[in-house]
Amino acid sequence: MKPLRCFLTRFRSVSLKLIATLSLILLSACGQPDPPLRVALLEWPPYELAFWARDKGWLDQDKVELLEFKTPAEVTRAFSTGAVDIIAVTTDFALALAAQHPDTRIFLVIDASNGGDVVLSRQPASSGQELSGKTIAVEAGPLGNYMLSRFLDHFSLQRSDLNIEYVDIPQQVDHWKNKDVDLLITYEPNKTRVINEGAQVIFSSQQIPNEIVDVFLVRESLIRDREHDL
């Protein structure tokens, strides 16, 4: 009986240690709060409302971290690499990301562009003949190319009728001031900055209503795991 008592004593000791260890692990896991949701936003007036809400104390910064980016390419790259949890982009980017990452989901529509996206010109123009041979600057990406396509359709032009230069949003105003381009596809705040330099709006998203829509994108796992926080 002595070996049996010794075995049982040792077994109880090991069991108690195991239970204690598991309990500590579970308590530790329960006590760890979820990290803040990292939200990537562009420099774009409607998104500034989120920063304003944060500064007013209406967003719990323990649950939400707002990050501002200069270009959609930076935003989508951050999303693809997992550096952020939520991004605000147009549906053009959403479709492109969904093709690369099938678990991408739209969970909120933010706004629809009603004149915020524009084609600016140095001179008024009402026909494609007036625009043929001009140099146009556009951001490389789904939205820029979509606006370019709709602009060409509107004026019955082909891509070969224009000299197309791809210029990122942060450099567009300087390109315009340096007179490197005749036409520019852009959005706020560059829109107002370039209009203040004498540019004319010859085409805008007001002529293609509800075709450019801003949305919040997440991965499907975030909807599953943190629905309440979303």
Side-chain angles (χ1 to χ4, degrees), residues 151-190:
F151 165 67
L152 293 174
D153 289 344
H154 181 78
F155 281 97
S156 301
L157 292 167
Q158 302 295 319
R159 292 177 69 94
S160 57
D161 293 328
L162 298 174
N163 301 311
I164 301 170
E165 290 190 11
Y166 288 102
V167 181
D168 279 340
I169 292 295
Q171 286 79 48
Q172 286 186 344
V173 175
D174 286 340
H175 263 65
W176 185 266
K177 289 181 177 179
N178 293 337
K179 299 186 177 179
D180 295 328
V181 295
D182 308 299
L183 306 166
L184 174 64
I185 296 177
T186 193
Y187 48 79
E188 295 289 9
N190 283 359

Side-chain angles (χ1 to χ4, degrees), residues 40 69 73-85 87:
F69 291 79
E74 293 173 330
V75 170
T76 54
R77 192 180 307 118
F79 184 74
S80 295
T81 60
V84 296
D85 305 300
I87 61 172

Side-chain angles (χ1 to χ4, degrees), residues 40-53 66-69 75 87-91 110-111 187 213-216:
L41 299 171
L42 279 171
E43 187 184 63
W44 163 244
Y47 300 164
E48 294 302 318
L49 294 171
F51 293 96
W52 183 65
L66 302 181
L67 303 168
E68 191 166 41
F69 291 79
V75 170
I87 61 172
V89 291
T90 60
T91 46
I110 304 169
D111 59 49
Y187 48 79
V213 179
D214 287 299
V215 295
F216 271 134

